[in-house]
Amino acid sequence: MEILALFIKFALLYGIVLMLVALGGMFSERSGIINIALEGIMVIGAMAGVVASIDLAGAGLFVKVAGSILAAGVAGMVYAFLLAFASVSLKADQTIGGTALNILATAIAMVIAKRVNSSTGKISDSARLVYSYEGFVYNIGGVTVNIFFIVGIVLLVLSYVILYKTRLGLRLRACGEHPQAADSLGINVYKMRYIGVLISGFLGGIGGLAYILPANPNWDFKYGIAGMGFLALAVMIFGQWKPFKIFFAAMFFAVFKSLADIADSIPLLSSLRWPKEIYNMMPFIASMIVLALTSGKSRAPKAEGIPYDKGQR
Amino acid sequence: MKRRILSGLNTILAALICVFIGLLLGFIILVVFSWSSLASKGDPYTFGKVIEQAWSLGFQRILLGGFYQLNWKIPPGNQALRSEIAKVAPLLLCGLSVGFAFKTGLFNIGAAGQYTIGAFGAYVFALVLGMPWWVCLIASMLFGAVWGAIPGFFKAYFNINEVITSIMFNWIGLYMANTIMYGNGSGVMYNALESKNWKLSIKNPGAIIPDLDVDSSIKFADKSTFVKAFTNPATIGVFIAIAVAIVVFIILNKTVFGYELKACGYSKTAAKYAGINEKRNIILSMAIAGALAGLGAGLYYLTGTEQWNPQENKALPAMGFDGISVALLASSNPIGTIFSAIFKSHIATGGPKMEKTLFPSEIADVISGAIIYLCAFMLLFKNKLAKLLGRLFLSGDAPKGGVK
């Protein structure tokens, strides 16, 4: 029973993170922009959220929780703006721009974390931020649930509604499939793509915070976000760019990912004495197999990765 | 001919603009940090003092890199310069790896994983099999090539984007290499006392790449300054790396094989129509890119001073991603990569030389990160510059749309 509780805790933790970030990637890609910068957006969002939670530690619990989640989302948006600017306005190569932002993110996060750690005008040598997850984590009937579970479900439903039930969603999808046709009907393709990337930044930023805050009492930003953003990209592809499929894909990956954390408590697995790295490898290997099997019927947005040029025929 | 020179000049100028803006941004960040430290002390300060502090304790040291506090007379005095030179070899090869893939239409974001597996290969042959250094180097190349070929295979036969596959195999490679090397604390390659891999000098001195310090009986001070700069940890590795860059340049530009690989990059279908085996070429391109990154790791970890730490290395080696910046800055030109690798190594050496209590050393990484971001829209600079240069030098016959 205890194992099951632990399993649910970690599966939910990773599942919600992967789902949030993959939903972010979905909004960007449905509008036609490949968002490989999700990893970097997560780092920046996590950093901003953690710093906010440290700063708001004195204020009430609700202010602290809401404030840090909002800070993470907004920081992610600001960072994603850099991607939108490069790939929409300047028509730069989206993969290269995104990779640059990934590399830049860890450096920025370390500089800021060291600045936050500084005391009496002296910059610290460590980028490890210490914080409290009080208010983010609750124990309900022996199962640890964190606040991001609720946030995640709300955002999932909201994403579905926005994408399929609103005018904005329809226009966004049109820009990812056939921007020329969308443009001919008077839709501003550039604006739609900006919106797609910015929503993606908001969700990615919150996802970053959701990954590091509820599970660890401190985090060294030297490690960035340890590949979660890239895993979320695989989740998005496995989820065929659709909200609820992404949810199930995220849970599927989360089960593999959480095995690393609970293997010691399961008698059968602990008797194998496999090193932790084997379990860490599993979600990546699983995603490779899944990608190889599903590659034939990929539902990728048709215009993704191609910069839209109004003057081009 | 005139147009070709102009196009080359144009590329160099665009790269220099990226570098300049990146450095400027770094300087602005330093000024902010300098200002906030002075403000927090509460003493009166002037704008001049803020700038002066940012320059002398920060920016100047980044610019000097390994030359900061250089002293030829006392051996540790040139340690920084030697480690700067030692880092050029892996940076250059990772840059060549990414650049080679770019030239053949592929984005090799997997250099980090190929680098890891290359290091693993070098260690297996050096510590387990006790081979001499050149065998270990070949091993690192072969291991890297295999790791590069896998995403190529998935691309060729399953049509999965090499970016996503490479990223997955980066992590798989990292976890795999670390697990085997660590071996639950009792791995053959793992020295539990130091909690790192064994030092080559203890286990197998023959695996250390020779340095220019050919006759070690001569006293250090008696040698010319040039030789001194290249003694351990800067081995002949950097010369091997430069030679490889030239070979890659020749393969890409002067051989049929290189032409076929590039043709696949421009248009897979057109290449297929012309009778080129496009599946084989995609796999080959990625394998060569992987071999280059793997060799980079071999050249770095076989210097004998660097030790892999399977427990500490939980993040992917930055070298692989630095390779992307090195390649982009050089517009994937193998010869240009030599210079961008030197530049990158120079800046990275300078970062930690800054006054630690005032400026985080990662500001150097922010500078190079900003430079790659700018490189992403270098084409824009290039087109603007091409128009300008064309107007200046080719009055009248400048082609529409700029020099490509």
PDB file of all heavy atoms in Angstrom, chain A residues 27-43:
ATOM      1  N   PHE A  27       0.820  23.954 -28.184  1.00  0.00           N
ATOM      2  CA  PHE A  27       0.316  25.255 -28.633  1.00  0.00           C
ATOM      3  C   PHE A  27       1.268  25.893 -29.636  1.00  0.00           C
ATOM      4  O   PHE A  27       0.852  26.448 -30.644  1.00  0.00           O
ATOM      5  CB  PHE A  27       0.117  26.190 -27.435  1.00  0.00           C
ATOM      6  CG  PHE A  27      -1.239  26.069 -26.822  1.00  0.00           C
ATOM      7  CD1 PHE A  27      -1.409  25.426 -25.603  1.00  0.00           C
ATOM      8  CD2 PHE A  27      -2.354  26.563 -27.470  1.00  0.00           C
ATOM      9  CE1 PHE A  27      -2.657  25.288 -25.047  1.00  0.00           C
ATOM     10  CE2 PHE A  27      -3.615  26.437 -26.917  1.00  0.00           C
ATOM     11  CZ  PHE A  27      -3.766  25.796 -25.704  1.00  0.00           C
ATOM     12  N   SER A  28       2.572  25.792 -29.323  1.00  0.00           N
ATOM     13  CA  SER A  28       3.548  26.391 -30.220  1.00  0.00           C
ATOM     14  C   SER A  28       3.541  25.690 -31.575  1.00  0.00           C
ATOM     15  O   SER A  28       3.511  26.331 -32.623  1.00  0.00           O
ATOM     16  CB  SER A  28       4.923  26.321 -29.560  1.00  0.00           C
ATOM     17  OG  SER A  28       5.897  26.717 -30.445  1.00  0.00           O
ATOM     18  N   GLU A  29       3.560  24.357 -31.557  1.00  0.00           N
ATOM     19  CA  GLU A  29       3.671  23.615 -32.814  1.00  0.00           C
ATOM     20  C   GLU A  29       2.380  23.671 -33.611  1.00  0.00           C
ATOM     21  O   GLU A  29       2.406  23.679 -34.844  1.00  0.00           O
ATOM     22  CB  GLU A  29       4.095  22.168 -32.543  1.00  0.00           C
ATOM     23  CG  GLU A  29       5.409  22.114 -31.768  1.00  0.00           C
ATOM     24  CD  GLU A  29       6.352  21.042 -32.239  1.00  0.00           C
ATOM     25  OE1 GLU A  29       5.916  20.113 -32.923  1.00  0.00           O
ATOM     26  OE2 GLU A  29       7.553  21.148 -31.918  1.00  0.00           O
ATOM     27  N   ARG A  30       1.236  23.725 -32.931  1.00  0.00           N
ATOM     28  CA  ARG A  30      -0.027  23.839 -33.661  1.00  0.00           C
ATOM     29  C   ARG A  30      -0.097  25.174 -34.398  1.00  0.00           C
ATOM     30  O   ARG A  30      -0.800  25.314 -35.391  1.00  0.00           O
ATOM     31  CB  ARG A  30      -1.223  23.715 -32.702  1.00  0.00           C
ATOM     32  CG  ARG A  30      -1.650  22.315 -32.295  1.00  0.00           C
ATOM     33  CD  ARG A  30      -1.596  21.277 -33.296  1.00  0.00           C
ATOM     34  NE  ARG A  30      -2.729  20.773 -34.043  1.00  0.00           N
ATOM     35  CZ  ARG A  30      -3.804  20.140 -33.616  1.00  0.00           C
ATOM     36  NH1 ARG A  30      -4.050  19.965 -32.363  1.00  0.00           N
ATOM     37  NH2 ARG A  30      -4.675  19.663 -34.449  1.00  0.00           N
ATOM     38  N   SER A  31       0.646  26.190 -33.879  1.00  0.00           N
ATOM     39  CA  SER A  31       0.665  27.477 -34.576  1.00  0.00           C
ATOM     40  C   SER A  31       1.761  27.516 -35.644  1.00  0.00           C
ATOM     41  O   SER A  31       1.862  28.472 -36.402  1.00  0.00           O
ATOM     42  CB  SER A  31       0.859  28.618 -33.586  1.00  0.00           C
ATOM     43  OG  SER A  31       2.207  28.731 -33.219  1.00  0.00           O
ATOM     44  N   GLY A  32       2.607  26.476 -35.674  1.00  0.00           N
ATOM     45  CA  GLY A  32       3.601  26.377 -36.738  1.00  0.00           C
ATOM     46  C   GLY A  32       5.033  26.625 -36.328  1.00  0.00           C
ATOM     47  O   GLY A  32       5.906  26.701 -37.182  1.00  0.00           O
ATOM     48  N   ILE A  33       5.298  26.764 -35.022  1.00  0.00           N
ATOM     49  CA  ILE A  33       6.665  27.016 -34.579  1.00  0.00           C
ATOM     50  C   ILE A  33       7.160  25.818 -33.774  1.00  0.00           C
ATOM     51  O   ILE A  33       6.547  25.433 -32.772  1.00  0.00           O
ATOM     52  CB  ILE A  33       6.741  28.277 -33.686  1.00  0.00           C
ATOM     53  CG1 ILE A  33       6.202  29.501 -34.413  1.00  0.00           C
ATOM     54  CG2 ILE A  33       8.170  28.517 -33.214  1.00  0.00           C
ATOM     55  CD1 ILE A  33       7.054  29.976 -35.550  1.00  0.00           C
ATOM     56  N   ILE A  34       8.270  25.214 -34.212  1.00  0.00           N
ATOM     57  CA  ILE A  34       8.878  24.130 -33.446  1.00  0.00           C
ATOM     58  C   ILE A  34       9.494  24.730 -32.193  1.00  0.00           C
ATOM     59  O   ILE A  34      10.305  25.645 -32.269  1.00  0.00           O
ATOM     60  CB  ILE A  34       9.984  23.431 -34.262  1.00  0.00           C
ATOM     61  CG1 ILE A  34       9.369  22.702 -35.446  1.00  0.00           C
ATOM     62  CG2 ILE A  34      10.760  22.455 -33.390  1.00  0.00           C
ATOM     63  CD1 ILE A  34      10.383  21.993 -36.297  1.00  0.00           C
ATOM     64  N   ASN A  35       9.063  24.228 -31.032  1.00  0.00           N
ATOM     65  CA  ASN A  35       9.589  24.802 -29.795  1.00  0.00           C
ATOM     66  C   ASN A  35      10.527  23.823 -29.126  1.00  0.00           C
ATOM     67  O   ASN A  35      10.149  23.073 -28.238  1.00  0.00           O
ATOM     68  CB  ASN A  35       8.444  25.170 -28.866  1.00  0.00           C
ATOM     69  CG  ASN A  35       8.911  26.008 -27.706  1.00  0.00           C
ATOM     70  OD1 ASN A  35      10.108  26.133 -27.492  1.00  0.00           O
ATOM     71  ND2 ASN A  35       7.991  26.566 -26.974  1.00  0.00           N
ATOM     72  N   ILE A  36      11.800  23.880 -29.563  1.00  0.00           N
ATOM     73  CA  ILE A  36      12.776  22.991 -28.943  1.00  0.00           C
ATOM     74  C   ILE A  36      13.339  23.650 -27.696  1.00  0.00           C
ATOM     75  O   ILE A  36      14.077  23.055 -26.927  1.00  0.00           O
ATOM     76  CB  ILE A  36      13.864  22.619 -29.967  1.00  0.00           C
ATOM     77  CG1 ILE A  36      14.347  21.201 -29.713  1.00  0.00           C
ATOM     78  CG2 ILE A  36      15.024  23.573 -29.938  1.00  0.00           C
ATOM     79  CD1 ILE A  36      15.061  20.631 -30.882  1.00  0.00           C
ATOM     80  N   ALA A  37      12.946  24.924 -27.471  1.00  0.00           N
ATOM     81  CA  ALA A  37      13.461  25.681 -26.328  1.00  0.00           C
ATOM     82  C   ALA A  37      12.724  25.351 -25.040  1.00  0.00           C
ATOM     83  O   ALA A  37      12.972  25.985 -24.028  1.00  0.00           O
ATOM     84  CB  ALA A  37      13.371  27.175 -26.606  1.00  0.00           C
ATOM     85  N   LEU A  38      11.827  24.355 -25.060  1.00  0.00           N
ATOM     86  CA  LEU A  38      11.044  24.049 -23.864  1.00  0.00           C
ATOM     87  C   LEU A  38      11.927  23.793 -22.650  1.00  0.00           C
ATOM     88  O   LEU A  38      11.608  24.215 -21.545  1.00  0.00           O
ATOM     89  CB  LEU A  38      10.163  22.824 -24.119  1.00  0.00           C
ATOM     90  CG  LEU A  38       8.901  23.075 -24.956  1.00  0.00           C
ATOM     91  CD1 LEU A  38       8.229  21.765 -25.289  1.00  0.00           C
ATOM     92  CD2 LEU A  38       7.945  23.986 -24.214  1.00  0.00           C
ATOM     93  N   GLU A  39      13.042  23.109 -22.879  1.00  0.00           N
ATOM     94  CA  GLU A  39      13.964  22.817 -21.777  1.00  0.00           C
ATOM     95  C   GLU A  39      14.426  24.120 -21.119  1.00  0.00           C
ATOM     96  O   GLU A  39      14.401  24.260 -19.904  1.00  0.00           O
ATOM     97  CB  GLU A  39      15.159  22.027 -22.326  1.00  0.00           C
ATOM     98  CG  GLU A  39      16.229  21.714 -21.308  1.00  0.00           C
ATOM     99  CD  GLU A  39      16.054  20.339 -20.692  1.00  0.00           C
ATOM    100  OE1 GLU A  39      15.079  19.662 -21.046  1.00  0.00           O
ATOM    101  OE2 GLU A  39      16.878  19.981 -19.846  1.00  0.00           O
ATOM    102  N   GLY A  40      14.818  25.083 -21.946  1.00  0.00           N
ATOM    103  CA  GLY A  40      15.295  26.362 -21.417  1.00  0.00           C
ATOM    104  C   GLY A  40      14.174  27.154 -20.765  1.00  0.00           C
ATOM    105  O   GLY A  40      14.373  27.771 -19.715  1.00  0.00           O
ATOM    106  N   ILE A  41      12.992  27.114 -21.360  1.00  0.00           N
ATOM    107  CA  ILE A  41      11.847  27.821 -20.781  1.00  0.00           C
ATOM    108  C   ILE A  41      11.545  27.261 -19.394  1.00  0.00           C
ATOM    109  O   ILE A  41      11.266  27.994 -18.451  1.00  0.00           O
ATOM    110  CB  ILE A  41      10.624  27.688 -21.710  1.00  0.00           C
ATOM    111  CG1 ILE A  41      10.854  28.515 -22.989  1.00  0.00           C
ATOM    112  CG2 ILE A  41       9.358  28.142 -21.016  1.00  0.00           C
ATOM    113  CD1 ILE A  41       9.827  28.269 -24.069  1.00  0.00           C
ATOM    114  N   MET A  42      11.639  25.925 -19.260  1.00  0.00           N
ATOM    115  CA  MET A  42      11.405  25.305 -17.954  1.00  0.00           C
ATOM    116  C   MET A  42      12.408  25.799 -16.929  1.00  0.00           C
ATOM    117  O   MET A  42      12.062  26.088 -15.783  1.00  0.00           O
ATOM    118  CB  MET A  42      11.515  23.782 -18.062  1.00  0.00           C
ATOM    119  CG  MET A  42      10.305  23.110 -18.658  1.00  0.00           C
ATOM    120  SD  MET A  42      10.539  21.329 -18.786  1.00  0.00           S
ATOM    121  CE  MET A  42      10.123  20.800 -17.119  1.00  0.00           C
ATOM    122  N   VAL A  43      13.686  25.881 -17.331  1.00  0.00           N
ATOM    123  CA  VAL A  43      14.725  26.328 -16.400  1.00  0.00           C
ATOM    124  C   VAL A  43      14.423  27.742 -15.919  1.00  0.00           C
ATOM    125  O   VAL A  43      14.445  28.031 -14.719  1.00  0.00           O
ATOM    126  CB  VAL A  43      16.118  26.277 -17.068  1.00  0.00           C
ATOM    127  CG1 VAL A  43      17.160  26.921 -16.182  1.00  0.00           C
ATOM    128  CG2 VAL A  43      16.499  24.851 -17.378  1.00  0.00           C
TER     129      VAL A  43
END
